[in-house]
Amino acid sequence: MKTKNVKNISVITLGCAKNVYDSEKLIGMLKGNNLNYTEDLNNTDGLIINTCGFIEGSKQESIDYILQACEMRKSGQLQSLIVMGCLVERYKQELSEQIETVDHWLGVNSQEQIVKTLIGDQKFSLINERMLLTPNHSAFMKISEGCDHKCGFCAIPGIRGKHISRPIEDIVDEAKKLIDGGTKEIVVIAQDSTFYGKDLYGERRIAELASKLSDINGLEWVRFMYAYPRAYPLEFLDVMAERDNICNYVDIPLQHISDTVLKSMRRGITGDRIRELIDTMRSKVPNISIRSTFITGYPNETEKDFEELLEFIKTYRLDRVGVFTYSQEDGTPSFDLLDPISEEIKKERADKLMITQQEMSLNINESKIGSIRKVLIDELNEDGSYFGRTEHDAPEVDNGVFVTSEKSIEIGSFVNVKITNAQEYDLYGTTE
């Protein structure tokens, strides 16, 4: 059914970088089919919400946005309200039964169906373009969809399905288009980037993909996110070490270090193997920056398990750390373990980890004072300074560098910055 009287349409994107990429592809298709996309929510009569359904907090955020949009729909401001993405993929029946104001509930990978819904019986054109929602100089690149792992806490395989890799040629072609359009940094994303190619080629080919992307003229930086620690492809580290434009950066969600917890999480790796892997990373790529995430309050996490994790954080001094409290999610293998640890204890443990990491991060950052760093300038601040990132900082989730300069700096350019001061999560410097 064609959605009536839609002249302008907006898209709200919630959740992770994979959702941002999906929305960018959707907007490209909308524009390619002569639908008028606008970022002005006050001047739109059609709205698409791309939801997140990963953990309780993100689900609630999505529902809050949906309910606010429903009020706009009831008041007549919106002629059409479409809700798509992970939350819908997971709870479509429950949502459609409880919220009647939404016109269409569509799951993940529903871009084509959305466009057909909006244009009705008109000829549909499949446009393989994107409209970047990020600054033009830095863009996400999704190399695969889905995940074959069955981690105890994770709902993603049930939402996104099995791992499906894109052909290397398609990825390289898209990267070249981005670079031709002014992109200088490509951030490679997936549910598990290190598993790339296994389904398509019968073997992991993340190292080959990295080499081919690195070979593209004009690509200044390429960084890889969402690595899985089990059976980590060490040959990828060799490529990273030999290529100047592959950022010396690893994003690897370890989740825990206790063998008992890791086994219950179904991570397929031991604490000692994790320690060996980090040692190997630092040996092969001496200037590497390692980012990870951890979960506190997993159902079988004892105080001893937590203390082991805390000691690991102190000893291994990871460059970037994020911490989540355990969220019991229906449909996951760990759901039947219930949720015996109180929210108070979960948060207390998470806070302890983050306070310890703040100390580690401050020490690491202070060691950089006096050094010269290559910085990609992301934006101009209101006070006239600039905000940028080093190769060790992914957009949105990592540290930043506040830069002062006597001369104007073009946004999206690289500058050499002398670091003059440091805080827990930020560096400060001046241009050379």
Side-chain angles (χ1 to χ4, degrees), residues 255-281:
Q255 311 301 6
H256 218 280
I257 198 65
S258 160
D259 286 348
T260 303
V261 178
L262 288 169
K263 183 177 181 180
S264 183
M265 285 181 169
R266 303 188 181 192
R267 296 292 284 170
I269 194 170
T270 64
D272 284 345
R273 182 69 190 95
I274 287 173
R275 294 178 180 94
E276 292 172 5
L277 178 58
I278 293 174
D279 289 340
T280 299
M281 288 176 172

Tab-separated table of all heavy atoms in Angstrom, residues 255-281:
chain	number	residue	atom	x	y	z
A	255	GLN	N	34.847	-9.103	26.406
A	255	GLN	CA	33.697	-9.366	27.273
A	255	GLN	C	34.054	-9.826	28.686
A	255	GLN	O	33.422	-9.421	29.647
A	255	GLN	CB	32.726	-10.372	26.636
A	255	GLN	CG	32.336	-10.062	25.205
A	255	GLN	CD	31.662	-8.714	25.008
A	255	GLN	OE1	31.563	-7.919	25.909
A	255	GLN	NE2	31.230	-8.438	23.791
A	256	HIS	N	35.086	-10.661	28.844
A	256	HIS	CA	35.515	-11.057	30.190
A	256	HIS	C	36.881	-11.715	30.085
A	256	HIS	O	37.415	-11.897	28.974
A	256	HIS	CB	34.508	-12.006	30.848
A	256	HIS	CG	34.328	-11.745	32.315
A	256	HIS	ND1	35.222	-12.191	33.266
A	256	HIS	CD2	33.367	-11.072	32.997
A	256	HIS	CE1	34.820	-11.801	34.471
A	256	HIS	NE2	33.690	-11.114	34.340
A	257	ILE	N	37.455	-12.075	31.240
A	257	ILE	CA	38.739	-12.777	31.258
A	257	ILE	C	38.673	-14.064	32.063
A	257	ILE	O	39.524	-14.945	31.905
A	257	ILE	CB	39.844	-11.848	31.826
A	257	ILE	CG1	41.240	-12.357	31.470
A	257	ILE	CG2	39.677	-11.660	33.314
A	257	ILE	CD1	41.525	-12.336	29.971
A	258	SER	N	37.652	-14.216	32.914
A	258	SER	CA	37.499	-15.424	33.718
A	258	SER	C	37.087	-16.606	32.841
A	258	SER	O	36.135	-16.509	32.062
A	258	SER	CB	36.435	-15.203	34.800
A	258	SER	OG	35.933	-16.428	35.296
A	259	ASP	N	37.788	-17.723	32.983
A	259	ASP	CA	37.451	-18.912	32.192
A	259	ASP	C	36.020	-19.370	32.442
A	259	ASP	O	35.319	-19.791	31.517
A	259	ASP	CB	38.412	-20.059	32.526
A	259	ASP	CG	39.790	-19.872	31.932
A	259	ASP	OD1	39.945	-18.976	31.073
A	259	ASP	OD2	40.715	-20.612	32.321
A	260	THR	N	35.585	-19.304	33.688
A	260	THR	CA	34.229	-19.745	34.031
A	260	THR	C	33.184	-18.907	33.315
A	260	THR	O	32.223	-19.432	32.737
A	260	THR	CB	34.010	-19.659	35.549
A	260	THR	OG1	34.987	-20.447	36.217
A	260	THR	CG2	32.620	-20.151	35.925
A	261	VAL	N	33.382	-17.600	33.342
A	261	VAL	CA	32.419	-16.714	32.687
A	261	VAL	C	32.505	-16.845	31.174
A	261	VAL	O	31.478	-16.910	30.484
A	261	VAL	CB	32.647	-15.256	33.124
A	261	VAL	CG1	31.673	-14.328	32.408
A	261	VAL	CG2	32.497	-15.111	34.629
A	262	LEU	N	33.706	-16.891	30.642
A	262	LEU	CA	33.868	-17.017	29.190
A	262	LEU	C	33.214	-18.292	28.667
A	262	LEU	O	32.601	-18.299	27.595
A	262	LEU	CB	35.354	-17.010	28.828
A	262	LEU	CG	36.080	-15.665	28.952
A	262	LEU	CD1	37.584	-15.860	28.826
A	262	LEU	CD2	35.587	-14.679	27.899
A	263	LYS	N	33.340	-19.395	29.420
A	263	LYS	CA	32.719	-20.651	28.992
A	263	LYS	C	31.206	-20.532	28.981
A	263	LYS	O	30.541	-20.964	28.029
A	263	LYS	CB	33.156	-21.782	29.913
A	263	LYS	CG	32.612	-23.141	29.497
A	263	LYS	CD	33.143	-24.245	30.396
A	263	LYS	CE	32.596	-25.609	29.956
A	263	LYS	NZ	33.115	-26.703	30.829
A	264	SER	N	30.640	-19.916	30.024
A	264	SER	CA	29.195	-19.744	30.074
A	264	SER	C	28.719	-18.793	28.981
A	264	SER	O	27.624	-18.962	28.433
A	264	SER	CB	28.783	-19.213	31.444
A	264	SER	OG	27.383	-19.101	31.539
A	265	MET	N	29.558	-17.802	28.653
A	265	MET	CA	29.232	-16.871	27.570
A	265	MET	C	29.339	-17.514	26.188
A	265	MET	O	28.957	-16.909	25.195
A	265	MET	CB	30.181	-15.668	27.617
A	265	MET	CG	29.900	-14.664	28.713
A	265	MET	SD	31.093	-13.287	28.601
A	265	MET	CE	30.368	-12.107	29.738
A	266	ARG	N	29.920	-18.716	26.117
A	266	ARG	CA	30.138	-19.420	24.847
A	266	ARG	C	31.059	-18.648	23.912
A	266	ARG	O	30.832	-18.587	22.701
A	266	ARG	CB	28.800	-19.700	24.157
A	266	ARG	CG	27.826	-20.493	24.999
A	266	ARG	CD	26.605	-20.892	24.187
A	266	ARG	NE	25.655	-21.645	24.993
A	266	ARG	CZ	24.610	-22.315	24.499
A	266	ARG	NH1	24.378	-22.301	23.201
A	266	ARG	NH2	23.794	-22.975	25.292
A	267	ARG	N	32.126	-18.088	24.485
A	267	ARG	CA	33.045	-17.290	23.678
A	267	ARG	C	34.074	-18.129	22.934
A	267	ARG	O	34.768	-17.631	22.054
A	267	ARG	CB	33.746	-16.268	24.565
A	267	ARG	CG	32.812	-15.246	25.186
A	267	ARG	CD	32.238	-14.318	24.164
A	267	ARG	NE	33.217	-13.327	23.731
A	267	ARG	CZ	33.047	-12.506	22.708
A	267	ARG	NH1	31.943	-12.580	21.975
A	267	ARG	NH2	33.969	-11.618	22.394
A	268	GLY	N	34.249	-19.392	23.321
A	268	GLY	CA	35.172	-20.260	22.594
A	268	GLY	C	36.630	-19.913	22.785
A	268	GLY	O	37.456	-20.203	21.911
A	269	ILE	N	36.969	-19.268	23.904
A	269	ILE	CA	38.337	-18.857	24.156
A	269	ILE	C	38.543	-18.796	25.669
A	269	ILE	O	37.594	-18.598	26.430
A	269	ILE	CB	38.631	-17.485	23.507
A	269	ILE	CG1	40.139	-17.204	23.454
A	269	ILE	CG2	37.878	-16.366	24.204
A	269	ILE	CD1	40.493	-15.994	22.610
A	270	THR	N	39.778	-19.010	26.101
A	270	THR	CA	40.105	-18.941	27.520
A	270	THR	C	40.765	-17.606	27.856
A	270	THR	O	41.224	-16.883	26.973
A	270	THR	CB	41.064	-20.079	27.913
A	270	THR	OG1	42.309	-19.890	27.216
A	270	THR	CG2	40.477	-21.441	27.566
A	271	GLY	N	40.860	-17.337	29.145
A	271	GLY	CA	41.526	-16.120	29.572
A	271	GLY	C	42.986	-16.105	29.183
A	271	GLY	O	43.506	-15.068	28.742
A	272	ASP	N	43.669	-17.231	29.323
A	272	ASP	CA	45.081	-17.285	28.954
A	272	ASP	C	45.274	-17.057	27.462
A	272	ASP	O	46.235	-16.399	27.043
A	272	ASP	CB	45.689	-18.639	29.358
A	272	ASP	CG	45.959	-18.725	30.849
A	272	ASP	OD1	45.956	-17.674	31.519
A	272	ASP	OD2	46.164	-19.859	31.348
A	273	ARG	N	44.360	-17.583	26.669
A	273	ARG	CA	44.471	-17.377	25.214
A	273	ARG	C	44.256	-15.908	24.868
A	273	ARG	O	44.916	-15.376	23.957
A	273	ARG	CB	43.439	-18.247	24.491
A	273	ARG	CG	43.510	-18.142	22.981
A	273	ARG	CD	44.777	-18.762	22.428
A	273	ARG	NE	44.935	-18.434	21.013
A	273	ARG	CZ	45.651	-17.425	20.542
A	273	ARG	NH1	46.313	-16.628	21.379
A	273	ARG	NH2	45.742	-17.206	19.251
A	274	ILE	N	43.380	-15.240	25.577
A	274	ILE	CA	43.190	-13.798	25.372
A	274	ILE	C	44.473	-13.049	25.696
A	274	ILE	O	44.912	-12.168	24.940
A	274	ILE	CB	42.024	-13.280	26.234
A	274	ILE	CG1	40.685	-13.752	25.650
A	274	ILE	CG2	42.052	-11.746	26.303
A	274	ILE	CD1	39.487	-13.423	26.526
A	275	ARG	N	45.097	-13.392	26.804
A	275	ARG	CA	46.344	-12.733	27.200
A	275	ARG	C	47.436	-12.958	26.146
A	275	ARG	O	48.169	-12.031	25.777
A	275	ARG	CB	46.794	-13.244	28.559
A	275	ARG	CG	45.846	-12.856	29.717
A	275	ARG	CD	46.329	-13.427	31.045
A	275	ARG	NE	45.458	-13.070	32.161
A	275	ARG	CZ	44.460	-13.830	32.620
A	275	ARG	NH1	44.210	-15.014	32.033
A	275	ARG	NH2	43.721	-13.429	33.637
A	276	GLU	N	47.534	-14.185	25.664
A	276	GLU	CA	48.520	-14.494	24.615
A	276	GLU	C	48.245	-13.692	23.352
A	276	GLU	O	49.172	-13.216	22.686
A	276	GLU	CB	48.486	-15.986	24.297
A	276	GLU	CG	48.989	-16.885	25.414
A	276	GLU	CD	48.740	-18.356	25.117
A	276	GLU	OE1	48.263	-18.663	23.989
A	276	GLU	OE2	48.983	-19.198	26.005
A	277	LEU	N	46.969	-13.554	23.002
A	277	LEU	CA	46.598	-12.820	21.793
A	277	LEU	C	46.994	-11.351	21.917
A	277	LEU	O	47.554	-10.775	20.966
A	277	LEU	CB	45.097	-12.947	21.545
A	277	LEU	CG	44.533	-12.192	20.344
A	277	LEU	CD1	45.209	-12.629	19.051
A	277	LEU	CD2	43.017	-12.405	20.245
A	278	ILE	N	46.736	-10.746	23.044
A	278	ILE	CA	47.120	-9.348	23.227
A	278	ILE	C	48.630	-9.190	23.166
A	278	ILE	O	49.156	-8.247	22.548
A	278	ILE	CB	46.557	-8.810	24.557
A	278	ILE	CG1	45.029	-8.753	24.479
A	278	ILE	CG2	47.114	-7.414	24.850
A	278	ILE	CD1	44.367	-8.366	25.769
A	279	ASP	N	49.357	-10.120	23.792
A	279	ASP	CA	50.817	-10.074	23.729
A	279	ASP	C	51.298	-10.177	22.281
A	279	ASP	O	52.232	-9.475	21.872
A	279	ASP	CB	51.423	-11.205	24.559
A	279	ASP	CG	51.251	-10.999	26.054
A	279	ASP	OD1	51.018	-9.845	26.466
A	279	ASP	OD2	51.333	-11.997	26.809
A	280	THR	N	50.658	-11.047	21.504
A	280	THR	CA	51.035	-11.219	20.100
A	280	THR	C	50.744	-9.957	19.301
A	280	THR	O	51.548	-9.531	18.467
A	280	THR	CB	50.270	-12.412	19.486
A	280	THR	OG1	50.602	-13.605	20.195
A	280	THR	CG2	50.627	-12.585	18.015
A	281	MET	N	49.604	-9.345	19.548
A	281	MET	CA	49.259	-8.095	18.859
A	281	MET	C	50.316	-7.034	19.115
A	281	MET	O	50.781	-6.353	18.186
A	281	MET	CB	47.893	-7.584	19.329
A	281	MET	CG	46.714	-8.384	18.832
A	281	MET	SD	45.147	-7.773	19.537
A	281	MET	CE	43.972	-8.755	18.585
